[in-house]
Coordinates of all heavy atoms in Angstrom, one line a residue:
M75 N 126.2 96.9 97.8 CA 124.9 96.5 97.7 C 124.1 96.9 98.9 O 124.5 96.8 100.0 CB 124.8 94.9 97.6 CG 123.4 94.4 97.6 SD 123.3 92.6 97.9 CE 123.9 92.0 96.4
Q76 N 122.9 97.4 98.6 CA 122.0 97.9 99.7 C 120.9 96.8 99.9 O 120.3 96.4 98.9 CB 121.4 99.2 99.4 CG 120.4 99.7 100.5 CD 119.7 101.0 100.1 OE1 119.8 101.4 98.9 NE2 119.0 101.5 101.0
I77 N 120.8 96.4 101.1 CA 119.7 95.4 101.4 C 118.6 96.1 102.1 O 118.7 96.8 103.1 CB 120.3 94.3 102.3 CG1 121.4 93.5 101.6 CG2 119.1 93.3 102.7 CD1 122.1 92.5 102.4
V78 N 117.4 96.0 101.5 CA 116.2 96.7 102.0 C 115.3 95.6 102.6 O 115.0 94.6 102.0 CB 115.4 97.4 100.9 CG1 114.2 98.0 101.5 CG2 116.3 98.5 100.3
N79 N 115.0 95.7 103.9 CA 114.2 94.8 104.5 C 112.7 95.2 104.4 O 112.4 96.4 104.7 CB 114.5 94.7 106.0 CG 115.8 94.0 106.2 OD1 116.2 93.0 105.6 ND2 116.6 94.5 107.1
F80 N 111.9 94.4 104.0 CA 110.5 94.7 104.0 C 109.7 93.4 104.2 O 110.2 92.3 103.9 CB 110.0 95.5 102.8 CG 110.1 94.7 101.5 CD1 109.0 94.0 101.0 CD2 111.3 94.6 100.8 CE1 109.1 93.3 99.9 CE2 111.4 93.8 99.6 CZ 110.3 93.2 99.2
D81 N 108.5 93.5 104.6 CA 107.7 92.4 104.9 C 106.4 92.5 104.0 O 105.7 93.4 104.1 CB 107.2 92.5 106.4 CG 106.4 91.3 106.8 OD1 106.0 90.5 105.9 OD2 106.2 91.1 108.0
L82 N 106.3 91.4 103.2 CA 105.1 91.5 102.3 C 103.8 91.6 103.0 O 102.8 92.1 102.5 CB 105.1 90.2 101.4 CG 106.1 90.2 100.2 CD1 106.0 88.9 99.5 CD2 105.9 91.4 99.3
E83 N 103.7 91.1 104.3 CA 102.5 91.2 105.0 C 102.2 92.7 105.3 O 101.1 93.1 105.5 CB 102.7 90.6 106.4 CG 102.8 89.1 106.3 CD 101.5 88.4 105.9 OE1 100.5 88.8 106.4 OE2 101.6 87.4 105.2
Q84 N 103.2 93.6 105.2 CA 103.0 95.0 105.5 C 102.7 95.7 104.2 O 102.4 96.9 104.2 CB 104.2 95.6 106.1 CG 104.5 95.1 107.5 CD 105.8 95.7 108.1 OE1 106.5 96.4 107.4 NE2 106.1 95.3 109.3
E85 N 102.7 95.1 103.1 CA 102.4 95.7 101.8 C 101.0 95.4 101.3 O 100.8 95.0 100.1 CB 103.5 95.4 100.8 CG 104.9 95.6 101.2 CD 105.2 97.1 101.5 OE1 104.5 97.9 101.0 OE2 106.2 97.3 102.1
L86 N 100.1 95.5 102.2 CA 98.7 95.1 101.8 C 98.1 96.0 100.7 O 97.2 95.6 100.0 CB 97.8 95.2 103.1 CG 98.2 94.2 104.2 CD1 97.3 94.4 105.4 CD2 98.0 92.7 103.7
W87 N 98.6 97.2 100.5 CA 98.1 98.1 99.5 C 98.2 97.4 98.1 O 97.4 97.7 97.2 CB 98.9 99.4 99.5 CG 100.4 99.3 99.3 CD1 101.3 99.2 100.2 CD2 101.0 99.2 98.0 NE1 102.6 99.0 99.7 CE2 102.4 99.0 98.3 CE3 100.6 99.2 96.7 CZ2 103.4 98.9 97.3 CZ3 101.6 99.1 95.7 CH2 102.9 98.9 96.0
M88 N 99.2 96.5 98.0 CA 99.3 95.9 96.7 C 98.1 95.2 96.2 O 97.8 95.1 95.0 CB 100.5 94.9 96.7 CG 101.9 95.5 96.8 SD 103.2 94.3 96.8 CE 104.6 95.3 96.7
Q89 N 97.3 94.7 97.1 CA 96.1 93.9 96.8 C 95.0 94.9 96.3 O 94.0 94.4 95.7 CB 95.6 93.2 98.0 CG 96.5 92.1 98.5 CD 96.1 91.6 99.9 OE1 95.0 91.7 100.3 NE2 97.1 91.0 100.6
E90 N 95.2 96.2 96.5 CA 94.2 97.1 96.1 C 94.5 97.9 94.9 O 93.9 98.8 94.5 CB 94.0 98.1 97.3 CG 93.4 97.5 98.5 CD 93.4 98.4 99.7 OE1 93.1 99.6 99.5 OE2 93.6 98.0 100.8
G91 N 95.7 97.5 94.3 CA 96.1 98.2 93.1 C 95.2 98.0 91.9 O 94.6 97.0 91.7
A92 N 95.0 99.1 91.1 CA 94.1 99.0 89.9 C 94.7 98.1 88.9 O 94.0 97.8 87.9 CB 93.9 100.4 89.4
C93 N 96.0 97.7 89.0 CA 96.6 96.9 88.1 C 96.5 95.4 88.4 O 97.0 94.6 87.6 CB 98.1 97.2 88.0 SG 99.0 97.1 89.6
V94 N 95.8 95.0 89.4 CA 95.8 93.6 89.9 C 95.4 92.7 88.7 O 96.0 91.6 88.5 CB 94.9 93.5 91.1 CG1 94.6 92.0 91.3 CG2 95.5 94.1 92.3
F95 N 94.4 93.1 87.9 CA 94.0 92.2 86.8 C 94.4 92.8 85.4 O 93.9 92.3 84.4 CB 92.5 92.1 86.9 CG 92.0 91.4 88.2 CD1 91.3 92.2 89.1 CD2 92.3 90.1 88.4 CE1 90.9 91.6 90.3 CE2 91.9 89.5 89.6 CZ 91.2 90.2 90.6
A96 N 95.3 93.7 85.4 CA 95.8 94.3 84.1 C 96.9 93.4 83.6 O 97.5 92.6 84.3 CB 96.3 95.7 84.4
D97 N 97.2 93.6 82.3 CA 98.3 92.9 81.6 C 99.6 93.4 82.2 O 99.9 94.6 82.1 CB 98.2 93.2 80.1 CG 99.3 92.6 79.3 OD1 100.1 91.9 79.9 OD2 99.2 92.7 78.1
P98 N 100.4 92.5 82.8 CA 101.7 92.9 83.4 C 102.6 93.5 82.4 O 103.5 94.3 82.7 CB 102.2 91.6 84.0 CG 101.1 90.7 84.0 CD 100.1 91.1 83.0
D99 N 102.5 93.1 81.1 CA 103.4 93.6 80.1 C 103.3 95.2 80.0 O 104.2 95.8 79.6 CB 103.1 93.0 78.7 CG 103.6 91.6 78.6 OD1 104.3 91.1 79.5 OD2 103.2 90.9 77.7
L100 N 102.1 95.7 80.3 CA 101.9 97.1 80.2 C 102.8 97.8 81.2 O 103.3 98.9 80.9 CB 100.5 97.5 80.5 CG 99.4 97.0 79.6 CD1 98.0 97.5 80.1 CD2 99.6 97.5 78.1
F101 N 103.0 97.2 82.3 CA 103.8 97.9 83.4 C 105.3 97.6 83.3 O 106.1 98.3 84.0 CB 103.2 97.4 84.8 CG 101.9 97.9 85.0 CD1 100.8 97.3 84.5 CD2 101.7 99.1 85.7 CE1 99.5 97.8 84.7 CE2 100.4 99.6 85.9 CZ 99.3 99.0 85.4
F102 N 105.7 96.7 82.4 CA 107.1 96.4 82.3 C 107.4 96.4 80.8 O 107.9 95.4 80.2 CB 107.5 95.1 82.9 CG 107.4 95.2 84.4 CD1 106.3 94.8 85.1 CD2 108.4 95.7 85.2 CE1 106.1 94.9 86.5 CE2 108.4 95.9 86.6 CZ 107.2 95.4 87.2
P103 N 107.2 97.6 80.1 CA 107.5 97.6 78.7 C 109.1 97.5 78.4 O 109.9 97.9 79.3 CB 107.0 99.0 78.2 CG 107.0 99.8 79.5 CD 106.8 98.8 80.6
V104 N 109.4 96.9 77.3 CA 110.8 96.6 77.0 C 111.3 97.6 75.9 O 110.6 97.7 74.9 CB 111.0 95.2 76.6 CG1 112.5 95.0 76.2 CG2 110.6 94.2 77.7
G105 N 112.3 98.3 76.2 CA 112.9 99.2 75.2 C 112.2 100.6 75.1 O 111.4 100.9 76.0
S106 N 112.4 101.2 74.0 CA 111.8 102.5 73.8 C 111.1 102.6 72.4 O 111.0 103.7 71.8 CB 112.9 103.6 73.9 OG 113.9 103.4 72.9
S107 N 110.6 101.5 72.0 CA 109.8 101.5 70.7 C 108.5 102.1 70.9 O 108.1 102.4 72.1 CB 109.6 100.0 70.3 OG 108.8 99.4 71.2
M108 N 107.8 102.4 69.8 CA 106.5 103.0 69.9 C 105.5 102.1 70.7 O 104.7 102.6 71.5 CB 105.9 103.2 68.5 CG 104.6 104.0 68.5 SD 104.8 105.6 69.3 CE 105.7 106.5 68.1
K109 N 105.7 100.8 70.5 CA 104.8 99.9 71.3 C 105.1 100.0 72.8 O 104.2 100.0 73.6 CB 105.1 98.4 70.9 CG 104.3 97.4 71.6 CD 104.7 96.0 71.2 CE 103.9 95.0 72.0 NZ 104.3 93.6 71.8
A110 N 106.4 100.1 73.2 CA 106.7 100.2 74.6 C 106.2 101.5 75.2 O 105.7 101.6 76.3 CB 108.3 100.1 74.8
L111 N 106.4 102.6 74.4 CA 105.9 103.9 74.9 C 104.4 103.9 75.1 O 103.8 104.4 76.0 CB 106.3 105.0 73.9 CG 107.8 105.3 73.8 CD1 108.0 106.3 72.7 CD2 108.4 105.7 75.1
K112 N 103.7 103.2 74.2 CA 102.2 103.1 74.3 C 101.8 102.2 75.5 O 100.9 102.6 76.2 CB 101.7 102.4 73.0 CG 100.2 102.5 72.8 CD 99.7 102.0 71.5 CE 98.2 101.9 71.5 NZ 97.7 101.1 70.4
Q113 N 102.6 101.2 75.7 CA 102.3 100.3 76.9 C 102.5 101.1 78.2 O 101.7 101.1 79.1 CB 103.2 99.1 76.9 CG 102.9 98.1 75.9 CD 103.9 97.0 75.8 OE1 105.1 97.2 75.9 NE2 103.5 95.7 75.7
A114 N 103.6 101.9 78.3 CA 103.8 102.7 79.5 C 102.7 103.7 79.6 O 102.3 104.0 80.8 CB 105.2 103.4 79.4
A115 N 102.3 104.3 78.5 CA 101.2 105.3 78.7 C 99.9 104.7 79.2 O 99.2 105.3 80.0 CB 101.0 106.0 77.3
E116 N 99.6 103.5 78.7 CA 98.4 102.7 79.2 C 98.6 102.4 80.7 O 97.6 102.5 81.4 CB 98.2 101.5 78.4 CG 97.6 101.7 77.0 CD 97.3 100.4 76.3 OE1 96.6 99.5 76.9 OE2 97.8 100.2 75.2
A117 N 99.8 102.0 81.1 CA 100.0 101.7 82.5 C 99.8 102.9 83.3 O 99.2 102.9 84.4 CB 101.4 101.1 82.7
K118 N 100.4 104.0 82.9 CA 100.2 105.3 83.7 C 98.8 105.7 83.8 O 98.4 106.3 84.8 CB 101.1 106.4 83.1 CG 102.6 106.1 83.3 CD 103.5 107.0 82.4 CE 103.6 108.3 83.0 NZ 104.6 109.1 82.3
A119 N 98.0 105.5 82.7 CA 96.6 105.8 82.8 C 95.9 105.0 83.9 O 95.0 105.5 84.6 CB 95.9 105.6 81.4
I120 N 96.3 103.7 84.0 CA 95.7 102.9 85.0 C 96.1 103.4 86.4 O 95.3 103.5 87.3 CB 96.1 101.4 84.8 CG1 95.4 100.9 83.5 CG2 95.7 100.5 86.0 CD1 96.0 99.5 83.0
C121 N 97.4 103.7 86.5 CA 97.9 104.2 87.8 C 97.2 105.5 88.2 O 96.9 105.7 89.4 CB 99.4 104.5 87.7 SG 100.5 103.1 87.5
N122 N 96.8 106.3 87.3 CA 96.2 107.6 87.6 C 94.8 107.4 88.2 O 94.2 108.3 88.8 CB 96.2 108.6 86.4 CG 97.5 109.2 86.2 OD1 98.4 109.3 87.1 ND2 97.8 109.5 84.9
E123 N 94.2 106.2 88.0 CA 92.9 105.9 88.5 C 93.0 105.0 89.8 O 92.0 104.6 90.3 CB 92.1 105.2 87.5 CG 91.8 105.9 86.2 CD 91.0 107.2 86.5 OE1 90.1 107.2 87.3 OE2 91.3 108.2 85.8
C124 N 94.3 104.8 90.3 CA 94.5 103.8 91.3 C 94.4 104.5 92.7 O 95.0 105.6 92.9 CB 95.9 103.2 91.1 SG 96.3 102.0 92.3
D125 N 93.8 103.8 93.6 CA 93.6 104.4 95.0 C 94.9 104.3 95.8 O 95.0 104.9 96.9 CB 92.5 103.6 95.7 CG 91.1 103.9 95.2 OD1 91.0 105.0 94.5 OD2 90.2 103.1 95.4
V126 N 95.8 103.5 95.4 CA 97.1 103.3 96.2 C 98.3 103.8 95.4 O 99.4 103.4 95.7 CB 97.2 101.8 96.6 CG1 96.2 101.5 97.6 CG2 97.3 100.9 95.4
K127 N 98.1 104.8 94.6 CA 99.2 105.3 93.8 C 100.3 105.9 94.6 O 101.5 105.6 94.3 CB 98.6 106.4 92.9 CG 99.6 107.0 91.9 CD 99.0 108.1 91.0 CE 100.0 108.8 90.2 NZ 99.4 109.9 89.4
I128 N 100.0 106.6 95.6 CA 101.1 107.2 96.5 C 101.9 106.1 97.2 O 103.1 106.1 97.3 CB 100.5 108.2 97.5 CG1 99.9 109.4 96.7 CG2 101.6 108.7 98.4 CD1 100.9 110.1 95.8
E129 N 101.1 105.1 97.8 CA 101.8 104.0 98.5 C 102.7 103.2 97.5 O 103.8 102.8 97.9 CB 100.8 103.1 99.1 CG 100.0 103.6 100.2 CD 98.7 104.4 99.8 OE1 98.6 104.8 98.6 OE2 97.8 104.5 100.6
C130 N 102.2 103.0 96.3 CA 103.0 102.3 95.3 C 104.3 103.1 94.9 O 105.4 102.5 94.9 CB 102.1 102.1 94.1 SG 102.9 101.2 92.7
L131 N 104.1 104.4 94.7 CA 105.3 105.2 94.3 C 106.3 105.2 95.5 O 107.5 105.0 95.3 CB 104.9 106.6 93.9 CG 106.0 107.5 93.5 CD1 106.8 107.0 92.3 CD2 105.4 108.9 93.2
E132 N 105.8 105.4 96.7 CA 106.7 105.4 97.8 C 107.4 104.1 98.0 O 108.7 104.1 98.3 CB 105.9 105.7 99.1 CG 106.7 106.1 100.3 CD 107.2 105.0 101.1 OE1 106.6 103.9 101.0 OE2 108.2 105.1 101.8
Y133 N 106.7 103.0 97.8 CA 107.4 101.7 97.9 C 108.5 101.5 96.8 O 109.6 101.0 97.1 CB 106.3 100.6 97.7 CG 106.8 99.2 97.5 CD1 107.1 98.5 98.7 CD2 107.1 98.6 96.3 CE1 107.7 97.2 98.6 CE2 107.6 97.4 96.2 CZ 107.9 96.6 97.3 OH 108.4 95.4 97.2
A134 N 108.2 101.9 95.6 CA 109.1 101.8 94.5 C 110.4 102.6 94.8 O 111.5 102.2 94.5 CB 108.5 102.3 93.2
I135 N 110.2 103.8 95.3 CA 111.4 104.7 95.7 C 112.1 104.0 96.8 O 113.4 103.9 96.8 CB 110.9 106.1 96.1 CG1 110.2 106.8 94.9 CG2 112.0 106.9 96.6 CD1 111.0 107.1 93.7
R136 N 111.4 103.6 97.8 CA 112.0 103.1 99.1 C 112.8 101.8 98.8 O 113.8 101.5 99.3 CB 110.9 102.8 100.1 CG 111.4 102.3 101.4 CD 110.3 102.4 102.5 NE 109.0 102.0 102.1 CZ 108.5 100.8 102.1 NH1 109.3 99.8 102.6 NH2 107.3 100.5 101.8
T137 N 112.3 101.0 97.8 CA 112.9 99.7 97.6 C 113.7 99.7 96.3 O 114.1 98.6 95.8 CB 111.9 98.5 97.5 OG1 110.9 98.8 96.5 CG2 111.2 98.4 98.8
N138 N 113.9 100.9 95.7 CA 114.8 101.1 94.5 C 114.3 100.2 93.3 O 115.2 99.5 92.7 CB 116.3 100.8 94.9 CG 116.8 101.8 95.8 OD1 116.6 103.0 95.6 ND2 117.5 101.4 96.8
Q139 N 113.1 100.2 93.1 CA 112.6 99.5 91.9 C 113.1 100.2 90.6 O 112.8 101.4 90.4 CB 111.1 99.4 91.9 CG 110.4 98.7 93.0 CD 110.9 97.2 93.1 OE1 110.9 96.6 92.1 NE2 111.2 96.8 94.3
D140 N 113.9 99.5 89.9 CA 114.6 100.2 88.8 C 114.0 99.9 87.4 O 114.6 100.2 86.4 CB 116.1 100.0 88.8 CG 116.5 98.5 88.7 OD1 115.6 97.7 88.5 OD2 117.7 98.3 88.8
S141 N 112.9 99.2 87.4 CA 112.3 98.9 86.1 C 110.8 98.9 86.2 O 110.3 98.7 87.3 CB 112.7 97.6 85.5 OG 112.3 96.5 86.3
G142 N 110.1 99.2 85.1 CA 108.7 99.2 85.1 C 108.0 100.5 85.6 O 108.7 101.5 86.0
V143 N 106.7 100.5 85.5 CA 105.9 101.7 85.9 C 105.3 101.4 87.3 O 104.7 100.3 87.5 CB 104.7 101.9 84.9 CG1 103.8 103.0 85.4 CG2 105.3 102.3 83.5
W144 N 105.6 102.2 88.2 CA 105.1 102.1 89.6 C 104.6 103.5 90.0 O 105.2 104.5 89.8 CB 106.3 101.8 90.5 CG 106.9 100.4 90.4 CD1 107.8 100.0 89.4 CD2 106.7 99.3 91.2 NE1 108.1 98.7 89.6 CE2 107.5 98.2 90.7 CE3 105.9 99.0 92.4 CZ2 107.5 96.9 91.3 CZ3 105.9 97.8 92.9 CH2 106.7 96.7 92.4
G145 N 103.4 103.5 90.6 CA 102.9 104.7 91.1 C 102.8 105.8 90.0 O 102.9 107.0 90.3
G146 N 102.5 105.4 88.8 CA 102.4 106.3 87.7 C 103.6 106.9 87.2 O 103.6 107.9 86.4
A147 N 104.8 106.3 87.5 CA 106.0 106.9 87.1 C 106.9 105.8 86.4 O 107.0 104.7 87.0 CB 106.8 107.5 88.2
T148 N 107.5 106.1 85.3 CA 108.5 105.2 84.7 C 109.8 105.2 85.5 O 110.0 106.1 86.3 CB 108.8 105.7 83.2 OG1 109.4 107.0 83.3 CG2 107.5 105.7 82.4
E149 N 110.7 104.3 85.1 CA 112.0 104.3 85.8 C 112.7 105.6 85.7 O 113.3 106.1 86.6 CB 112.8 103.1 85.3 CG 113.0 103.0 83.9 CD 112.0 101.9 83.3 OE1 110.9 101.9 83.7 OE2 112.4 101.2 82.4
D150 N 112.7 106.2 84.5 CA 113.4 107.5 84.3 C 112.7 108.6 85.2 O 113.4 109.4 85.8 CB 113.4 108.0 82.8 CG 114.4 107.2 82.0 OD1 115.3 106.5 82.6 OD2 114.2 107.1 80.8
E151 N 111.4 108.6 85.2 CA 110.7 109.6 86.0 C 111.0 109.4 87.5 O 111.2 110.4 88.3 CB 109.2 109.6 85.8 CG 108.8 110.0 84.4 CD 107.4 109.7 84.0 OE1 106.8 108.7 84.5 OE2 106.9 110.3 83.0
R152 N 111.1 108.2 87.9 CA 111.4 107.9 89.3 C 112.8 108.3 89.7 O 113.1 108.6 90.9 CB 111.2 106.4 89.7 CG 109.8 106.0 89.8 CD 109.6 104.7 90.5 NE 110.4 103.6 89.9 CZ 110.0 102.9 88.8 NH1 108.9 103.2 88.2 NH2 110.8 102.0 88.4
K153 N 113.8 108.4 88.8 CA 115.1 108.8 89.1 C 115.1 110.2 89.7 O 115.7 110.5 90.7 CB 116.0 108.7 87.9 CG 116.4 107.3 87.5 CD 117.3 107.3 86.3 CE 117.6 105.9 85.8 NZ 118.2 105.8 84.5
S154 N 114.4 111.1 89.0 CA 114.3 112.5 89.5 C 113.5 112.6 90.8 O 113.8 113.3 91.7 CB 113.8 113.5 88.5 OG 112.5 113.1 88.1
I155 N 112.4 111.8 90.9 CA 111.6 111.8 92.1 C 112.5 111.2 93.3 O 112.5 111.8 94.4 CB 110.4 110.9 91.9 CG1 109.5 111.5 90.9 CG2 109.7 110.7 93.2 CD1 108.3 110.6 90.4
R156 N 113.3 110.2 93.0 CA 114.2 109.6 94.0 C 115.2 110.6 94.5 O 115.5 110.7 95.7 CB 114.9 108.4 93.5 CG 115.7 107.6 94.5 CD 116.3 106.4 94.0 NE 115.3 105.4 93.8 CZ 115.0 104.9 92.6 NH1 115.7 105.2 91.5 NH2 114.1 104.0 92.4
R157 N 115.8 111.4 93.6 CA 116.8 112.4 94.0 C 116.1 113.4 94.9 O 116.7 113.8 96.0 CB 117.3 113.2 92.7 CG 118.5 112.4 92.1 CD 119.2 113.3 91.1 NE 118.3 113.8 90.0 CZ 118.1 113.0 88.8 NH1 118.7 111.9 88.7 NH2 117.3 113.5 87.9
E158 N 114.9 113.9 94.6 CA 114.2 114.9 95.5 C 113.9 114.2 96.8 O 113.9 114.8 97.9 CB 113.0 115.4 94.8 CG 113.3 116.3 93.6 CD 114.1 117.5 94.1 OE1 113.8 118.2 95.1 OE2 115.1 117.9 93.4
Y159 N 113.5 113.0 96.7 CA 113.1 112.2 98.0 C 114.3 112.1 98.9 O 114.1 112.3 100.1 CB 112.6 110.8 97.6 CG 112.1 110.0 98.7 CD1 110.9 110.3 99.4 CD2 112.8 108.9 99.2 CE1 110.4 109.5 100.4 CE2 112.3 108.1 100.2 CZ 111.1 108.4 100.8 OH 110.6 107.7 101.9
K160 N 115.5 111.8 98.3 CA 116.6 111.7 99.2 C 117.0 113.1 99.8 O 117.5 113.1 100.9 CB 117.8 111.2 98.4 CG 117.7 109.7 98.1 CD 118.9 109.2 97.3 CE 118.9 107.7 97.2 NZ 120.0 107.2 96.4
K161 N 116.8 114.2 99.1 CA 117.1 115.5 99.6 C 116.1 116.0 100.6 O 116.4 116.5 101.6 CB 117.1 116.5 98.4 CG 118.4 116.6 97.7 CD 118.5 117.8 96.8 CE 118.2 117.5 95.4 NZ 118.1 118.6 94.5
T162 N 114.8 115.7 100.3 CA 113.7 116.4 101.1 C 112.9 115.4 102.0 O 112.3 115.8 102.9 CB 112.7 117.1 100.2 OG1 112.0 116.1 99.4 CG2 113.4 118.1 99.3
G163 N 113.0 114.1 101.6 CA 112.2 113.1 102.3 C 110.7 113.2 101.9 O 109.9 112.5 102.5
A164 N 110.5 113.9 100.9 CA 109.1 114.0 100.4 C 109.0 113.5 99.0 O 109.9 113.7 98.2 CB 108.6 115.5 100.4
L165 N 107.8 112.9 98.6 CA 107.6 112.5 97.3 C 107.0 113.7 96.5 O 105.9 114.2 96.8 CB 106.6 111.4 97.2 CG 107.1 110.0 97.7 CD1 106.0 109.0 97.7 CD2 108.2 109.5 96.8
I166 N 107.7 114.2 95.5 CA 107.3 115.3 94.7 C 107.1 114.8 93.3 O 108.0 114.4 92.7 CB 108.3 116.5 94.8 CG1 108.5 116.9 96.2 CG2 107.8 117.6 93.9 CD1 109.6 117.9 96.4
T167 N 105.8 114.7 92.9 CA 105.5 114.2 91.6 C 104.9 115.3 90.7 O 104.3 116.3 91.3 CB 104.6 113.0 91.6 OG1 103.3 113.4 92.2 CG2 105.2 111.9 92.5
S168 N 104.9 115.1 89.4 CA 104.3 116.1 88.6 C 102.8 115.8 88.3 O 102.4 114.7 88.6 CB 105.0 116.2 87.3 OG 105.2 115.0 86.7
Ligands
SF4_24 S1 99.9 102.9 91.1 FE1 99.9 101.7 89.2 S2 101.5 100.1 89.5 FE2 100.9 100.9 91.5 S3 99.4 99.6 92.3 FE3 98.3 101.3 91.3 S4 98.0 100.6 89.2 FE4 99.5 99.2 90.1

């Protein structure tokens, strides 16, 4: 088990997320049904307009968030981003 230390006081970017008042279900779709895919697409559209998208994605990678849409990336998309991040230390997104 990996324990990641972080201080919520240091994650002030969260208050600036474009998702603050959005439906949380969009960001945590369940399964791979058409409804879930549509929810993820809606969440990613919100992320693409978000001023803290990079901070959010970096946080999700750094703290191993394994579900939901963070920084405009689904859990599957973050797996490949995380692999590259471990190799290069850089966030490389499409
Ligand atoms: S990038 Fe997406 S999930 Fe992250 S704070 Fe912005 S809107 Fe929310």
Side-chain angles (χ1 to χ4, degrees):
M75 173 193 290
Q76 179 184 10
I77 298 174
V78 178
N79 292 319
F80 67 95
D81 182 349
L82 282 178
E83 294 290 323
Q84 295 176 357
E85 306 296 343
L86 295 176
W87 60 265
M88 289 181 175
Q89 299 169 19
E90 298 173 32
C93 57
V94 168
F95 298 111
D97 179 357
D99 287 349
L100 296 178
F101 291 84
F102 293 94
V104 177
S106 56
S107 66
M108 188 57 74
K109 179 182 176 187
L111 295 175
K112 192 174 172 196
Q113 287 173 318
E116 282 186 52
K118 290 169 74 170
I120 294 170
C121 292
N122 285 335
E123 300 296 321
C124 181
D125 290 339
V126 293
K127 182 178 175 184
I128 297 299
E129 291 89 339
C130 180
L131 181 58
E132 194 275 338
Y133 172 84
I135 298 294
R136 183 165 44 85
T137 60
N138 293 315
Q139 299 298 319
D140 60 3
S141 63
V143 174
W144 292 77
T148 63
E149 50 263 39
D150 285 341
E151 292 165 339
R152 284 196 309 278
K153 285 178 187 170
S154 62
I155 295 170
R156 184 176 292 116
R157 276 193 297 274
E158 289 301 314
Y159 183 72
K160 284 182 176 176
K161 277 195 260 176
T162 66
L165 286 176
I166 300 168
T167 62
S168 55

